[in-house]
Amino acid sequence: MPGDLILVLDEGTTSTRAMIFTAAGLQLAVAQRELIQHYPAPGHVEHDPAEIWDKTLGVAQDAVRQAGGAERIAAIGITNQRETVVAWDKAGGQPLSRALVWQDRRTAAQCGQLRAAGHEDAVREKTGLLLDPYFSATKMRWLIDNEPQVAAAAAKGTLAFGTIESWLLYNLTGGAHLSDASNASRTLLLPLEGASWDAGLCDLFGVPSRALPEVCDNAGPIASTSPDLFGRAIPICGLAGDQQSATIGQACLNPGDCKATYGTGAFVLSNMGSTVPRSANRLLGTVLRQLGGQRHYALEGSVFVAGSLIQWLRDTLGIISSADETARLAASIPDSGGVTIVPALSGLGAPHWRPEARGAIAGLSFNSGKAQIARAALEAMSHQTHDLARAFEADDAGWTSLRIDGGMSANDWMAQDLADILRLPVERPDYVETTALGAAVLAALGVGLYPDLESAARSMRGPARIFEPMMEDGDRRERLTRWQAAIASV
Ligand code: ADP
């Protein structure tokens, strides 16, 4: 009789982690390794798929050891950076190129051409997405057009495309080619209301449908690991893209419940129930979860640059030595002294969608030092979130509170500033790794430790702290006016 622990594989953009959770949602163990980011040209961002698998297996085996062996694991849940594309050969399982990461902008021109040819409305109607390089389909086509090994495998019929969960599943199981509906809904190839890939969309983007995985539920008996990896076959029972997983980990189970995750980028998802979301304000419609073939949807706003701005201050400019130093610096001054940062370092996502925009630091004076810049960087998170809040409101999906999580949400100064600028209560669970927790919830549900999603998510989510708005309205208005001027200038 196996134990009742859950192994979660959390495949982020900057690191891969394996975590052990109890059935009550407590984290018992974690093993983590950084992933190498490859930037071969401006706007190009790549990962090495072999490195992802090797490090994932390494941390998974480490976590299983820490848990006391594979017998103690009831099920595996996987959550992952979405949209990133891996191409491999079904014949030998070898990757055929580097993975193109969601941040990669190299297909901007291809997207522009499709937009100019008038395809965007139909694509949006079917998939809930826009023609932006962020999504997977144009990346897949780019690989066929530019990587001879990918083209050769496509011609032979042995090409496999997948997002990261699909690549991990393939390796964990020794050959299953699957993708869950939440990840599949980020490719531009899955209709929000269709069970599988759309032939017309595959044609439009030039992606051979036989290279694509089978679309499956987010929880249930999805597959099993090869016995040799952990000493016994462990069932894989939960699978979800990182943002959908965090939404579940935050127990945003009812229509209107809304969360924002601040990691490398920032992602706001609002539960829309079984209503297919249609945004008139350039937000995205996405599959939140599919259970027993039944879908629930979310309206999503994706901001490309959040924690990566802090990383840039630390690693490229070198003006801070750690990310959490920003909170102390921001609190050390009464305001940013007029400094405003537009974090468009890799273009602007929702609701602006301007891939060609680039970042700016406005309002510099001789009085501007690292405290002003650090503060402006954190303030930019509230400004970007505020723009999303307005767009959700305009789509009749206004927020009444916001649940936050992700590595950056540990920053108390930012959490308070968000509450102030949004004029809403901001709720942060004590345990902020809600992305991993969501995958644990799905796996616990999928293996039968709980009878339904509601009881799994509510039992496994811990206590939270609430930040209430306190800022004077004049200060708030001044901040937003400065932001609007700065963003209009980039
Ligand atoms: P991902 O899952 O996208 O890899 P994480 O959720 O682990 O990202 O968050 C890491 C990001 O959060 C990094 O970009 C880092 O710069 C930022 N970050 C972490 N802690 C803080 C902090 N205390 N203040 C500001 N930013 C932070």
Side-chain angles (χ1 to χ4, degrees), residues 13 29 113 304:
T13 308
Q113 282 156 14
F304 298 141

Side-chain angles (χ1 to χ4, degrees), residues 237-258:
C237 295
L239 213 53
D242 52 11
Q243 301 312 320
Q244 289 92 336
S245 190
T247 310
I248 291 164
Q250 285 273 28
C252 291
L253 302 174
N254 298 310
D257 292 348
C258 188

Side-chain angles (χ1 to χ4, degrees), residues 12-15 262-265 307-308 310-311 323-324 326 378 406-408 410-411:
T13 308
T14 55
S15 74
Y262 297 88
T264 304
S308 53
I310 307 301
Q311 245 169 326
D324 59 3
T326 53
L378 294 180
M408 202 180 183
N411 191 310

Side-chain angles (χ1 to χ4, degrees), residues 53 78 164-180 216 222-224 236 239:
W53 166 237
I78 301 176
I164 295 292
E165 85 298 351
S166 189
W167 170 237
L168 293 179
L169 263 174
Y170 180 85
N171 285 287
L172 284 164
T173 59
H177 192 200
L178 298 166
S179 175
D180 70 275
C216 66
I222 295 165
S224 282
I236 299 167
L239 213 53

